[in-house]
Coordinates of all heavy atoms in Angstrom, one line a residue:
Chain B
L241 N 89.5 76.4 115.9 CA 88.9 75.6 116.9 C 87.4 76.1 117.1 O 86.5 75.2 117.3 CB 89.6 75.6 118.3 CG 91.1 75.1 118.2 CD1 91.7 75.1 119.6 CD2 91.1 73.7 117.6
A242 N 87.2 77.4 117.1 CA 85.8 77.9 117.2 C 85.0 77.4 116.0 O 83.8 77.1 116.2 CB 85.8 79.4 117.1
L243 N 85.6 77.2 114.8 CA 84.9 76.7 113.7 C 84.6 75.2 113.8 O 83.9 74.7 112.9 CB 85.7 76.9 112.4 CG 85.9 78.4 112.0 CD1 86.9 78.5 110.8 CD2 84.6 79.1 111.7
G244 N 85.1 74.5 114.8 CA 84.8 73.1 115.0 C 86.0 72.2 114.7 O 85.9 71.0 114.8
A245 N 87.1 72.8 114.3 CA 88.3 71.9 114.0 C 88.9 71.4 115.4 O 88.6 72.0 116.4 CB 89.4 72.7 113.3
S246 N 89.6 70.3 115.3 CA 90.3 69.8 116.4 C 91.7 70.3 116.5 O 92.5 69.9 117.5 CB 90.4 68.2 116.3 OG 89.1 67.7 116.4
G247 N 92.2 71.1 115.6 CA 93.5 71.6 115.6 C 93.8 72.3 114.3 O 92.9 72.4 113.4
A248 N 95.1 72.7 114.1 CA 95.5 73.3 112.9 C 96.6 72.6 112.2 O 97.4 72.0 112.9 CB 95.8 74.8 113.1
W249 N 96.7 72.7 110.9 CA 97.8 72.2 110.1 C 98.4 73.4 109.4 O 97.7 74.1 108.6 CB 97.2 71.2 109.1 CG 98.0 70.7 108.0 CD1 98.3 71.3 106.8 CD2 98.6 69.4 107.9 NE1 99.1 70.5 106.0 CE2 99.2 69.3 106.7 CE3 98.6 68.2 108.7 CZ2 99.9 68.1 106.2 CZ3 99.3 67.1 108.3 CH2 99.9 67.1 107.1
C250 N 99.6 73.7 109.8 CA 100.3 74.9 109.2 C 101.5 74.5 108.4 O 102.3 73.7 108.8 CB 100.8 75.8 110.3 SG 99.4 76.4 111.4
G251 N 101.6 75.1 107.2 CA 102.8 74.8 106.4 C 103.6 76.1 106.1 O 104.8 76.1 106.4
S252 N 103.0 77.2 105.7 CA 103.7 78.3 105.3 C 104.6 78.9 106.4 O 105.7 79.3 106.2 CB 102.7 79.4 104.8 OG 102.0 78.9 103.7
V253 N 104.0 79.0 107.6 CA 104.7 79.8 108.7 C 106.1 79.3 109.0 O 106.9 80.1 109.5 CB 103.8 79.8 110.0 CG1 103.8 78.4 110.6 CG2 104.2 80.9 110.9
W254 N 106.4 78.1 108.6 CA 107.8 77.5 108.9 C 108.8 78.0 107.9 O 110.0 77.9 108.1 CB 107.7 76.0 109.0 CG 106.5 75.5 109.8 CD1 105.4 74.9 109.3 CD2 106.3 75.7 111.2 NE1 104.5 74.7 110.3 CE2 105.0 75.2 111.4 CE3 107.0 76.3 112.2 CZ2 104.4 75.2 112.7 CZ3 106.5 76.3 113.5 CH2 105.2 75.8 113.7
L255 N 108.3 78.5 106.8 CA 109.2 78.8 105.7 C 110.2 80.0 106.0 O 111.2 80.2 105.4 CB 108.5 79.1 104.4 CG 107.7 77.9 103.9 CD1 106.7 78.3 102.7 CD2 108.6 76.8 103.4
T256 N 109.8 80.8 106.9 CA 110.7 81.9 107.3 C 111.3 81.7 108.7 O 111.8 82.6 109.3 CB 109.9 83.3 107.3 OG1 108.7 83.1 108.1 CG2 109.6 83.7 105.9
T257 N 111.3 80.5 109.2 CA 112.0 80.2 110.4 C 113.5 80.1 110.2 O 113.9 79.9 109.0 CB 111.5 78.9 111.1 OG1 111.6 77.8 110.1 CG2 110.0 79.0 111.5
E258 N 114.2 80.2 111.3 CA 115.7 80.0 111.1 C 116.1 78.7 110.5 O 117.0 78.7 109.7 CB 116.3 80.1 112.5 CG 116.6 81.5 113.0 CD 117.1 81.5 114.4 OE1 117.6 80.5 114.9 OE2 117.1 82.6 115.0
E259 N 115.4 77.7 110.9 CA 115.8 76.3 110.4 C 115.4 76.1 108.9 O 115.9 75.1 108.3 CB 115.1 75.2 111.2 CG 115.4 75.2 112.7 CD 114.5 76.1 113.5 OE1 113.9 77.0 113.0 OE2 114.4 75.8 114.7
A260 N 114.5 76.8 108.4 CA 113.8 76.5 107.1 C 114.8 76.3 106.0 O 115.9 76.9 105.9 CB 112.8 77.5 106.7
E261 N 114.4 75.4 105.1 CA 115.3 75.1 103.9 C 115.1 76.1 102.9 O 115.8 76.1 101.9 CB 114.8 73.7 103.4 CG 113.5 73.7 102.5 CD 112.2 73.8 103.3 OE1 112.3 74.1 104.5 OE2 111.1 73.6 102.7
T262 N 114.2 77.1 103.1 CA 113.9 78.1 102.1 C 115.2 78.8 101.7 O 116.0 79.2 102.5 CB 112.9 79.2 102.7 OG1 112.0 78.5 103.5 CG2 112.3 80.0 101.6
S263 N 115.4 79.0 100.4 CA 116.6 79.7 99.9 C 116.6 81.1 100.4 O 115.5 81.8 100.4 CB 116.7 79.6 98.4 OG 116.0 80.7 97.8
P264 N 117.7 81.7 100.7 CA 117.8 83.1 101.2 C 117.0 84.1 100.4 O 116.3 85.0 100.9 CB 119.3 83.4 101.3 CG 119.9 82.0 101.5 CD 119.1 81.1 100.7
A265 N 117.2 84.0 99.1 CA 116.5 85.0 98.2 C 115.0 84.9 98.3 O 114.3 86.0 98.3 CB 117.0 84.9 96.7

Side-chain angles (χ1 to χ4, degrees):
Chain B
L241 298 183
L243 293 174
S246 293
W249 169 281
C250 298
S252 299
V253 71
W254 317 109
L255 295 171
T256 49
T257 56
E258 275 178 15
E259 296 92 335
E261 78 287 11
T262 320
S263 89

